[in-house]
Amino acid sequence: MGMVRPLLTTLAATLLIAQSPGTATLSWRGTARIHAGDPPIDIGVSTHVVPFVSARSESWLLSEGPGSTRVMTVGRDGGWMERGGRREPMSDSMLIHERQQYAIYGLMLLARRLDPSMMESIAAPPGMTAVRVRHPEAPVTDMIFDGEGRLVEARNRVGDPEGGGEIDQVFRFSGEIEDDGVRWPRRIDILQRGKPYFTLTIDSFDTEAGN
């Protein structure tokens, strides 16, 4: 635990400069590539997240434009998929998966409100620091920071949306975009089962502190 407190101080200076009470809301627009298909699928995205509370993401095929938009909503009371005016609830396994996926954005803001008892130092590559985070609203996640305290990677296991057990995944963070003192990675690469799964590139980013 001795290394955790200095790390938190660094995170507060690096990940979230503007410290204010309440839950931050995060919004971004950009493009993404889904690697699961052959060939990969390129989409536009517009996402709004209240960490550990709710998420709404609109996505559309870049080849077809916003007319092909699909809306995914995840909240405390369930999750839904909507396309062409038709709204359907997610399966239980998909809802668990999406809640766990969106929890990473809450973990990325832990510098604001973390109880140090949720973190433990773990082995890290040379020149880096790593902690294992146990948060009640997220999967157990290993987070790796470079020598300047900048988050570069996260690892966890999430439920399979098809109900087939758990999936090992890795998040890799690079670049930087900033709004109102909040610094955020411009690119997020997700690997599942050791293979590229999803790549997000953020073009615009906005944040608003809660009350």
Side-chain angles (χ1 to χ4, degrees):
M1 188 65 68
M3 294 179 62
V4 171
R5 179 58 65 182
L7 176 60
L8 286 180
T9 301
T10 304
L11 289 179
T14 304
L15 290 181
L16 193 61
I17 303 300
Q19 301 282 334
S20 57
T23 301
T25 60
L26 307 168
S27 300
W28 59 80
R29 290 182 64 91
T31 58
R33 170 163 286 191
I34 302 170
H35 298 276
D38 185 17
I41 300 171
D42 293 317
I43 60 174
V45 294
S46 177
T47 303
H48 178 83
V49 178
V50 181
F52 303 129
V53 178
S54 65
R56 175 184 169 88
S57 184
E58 300 179 9
S59 61
W60 56 91
L61 295 171
L62 289 181
S63 60
E64 297 182 12
S68 61
T69 294
R70 182 189 72 165
V71 180
M72 180 174 65
T73 304
V74 178
R76 294 289 191 187
D77 54 348
W80 297 268
M81 304 295 296
E82 182 177 345
R83 175 179 285 174
R86 183 175 179 180
R87 190 170 188 254
E88 297 182 349
M90 293 181 183
S91 65
D92 290 344
S93 57
M94 184 177 182
L95 178 58
I96 290 170
H97 174 83
E98 295 299 339
R99 281 177 174 162
Q100 291 177 330
Q101 289 293 80
Y102 280 104
I104 190 69
Y105 304 116
L107 297 183
M108 291 165 67
L109 291 175
L110 279 177
R112 308 183 67 194
R113 52 185 172 179
L114 181 67
D115 180 347
S117 67
M118 294 181 182
M119 299 176 72
E120 61 177 301
S121 297
I122 59 174
M128 297 189 178
T129 302
V131 293
R132 179 160 294 154
V133 182
R134 302 180 188 274
H135 190 283
E137 301 290 341
V140 175
T141 301
D142 294 346
M143 306 182 78
I144 302 172
F145 303 86
D146 66 16
E148 297 180 350
R150 201 170 302 277
L151 180 65
V152 293
E153 187 171 294
R155 297 173 177 264
N156 62 19
R157 302 185 76 189
V158 294
D160 188 329
E162 303 297 327
E166 290 189 319
I167 299 172
D168 292 316
Q169 70 177 357
V170 177
F171 295 85
R172 291 177 178 158
F173 309 100
S174 58
E176 184 177 289
I177 192 168
E178 181 176 344
D179 178 66
D180 197 24
V182 179
R183 297 173 183 169
W184 202 252
R186 182 176 288 276
R187 174 168 167 155
I188 301 175
D189 290 276
I190 304 176
L191 288 76
Q192 291 190 347
R193 299 188 175 101
K195 298 179 180 180
Y197 172 69
F198 187 84
T199 299
L200 169 67
T201 302
I202 297 175
D203 297 324
S204 63
F205 174 74
D206 297 287
T207 186
E208 182 177 346
N211 296 316

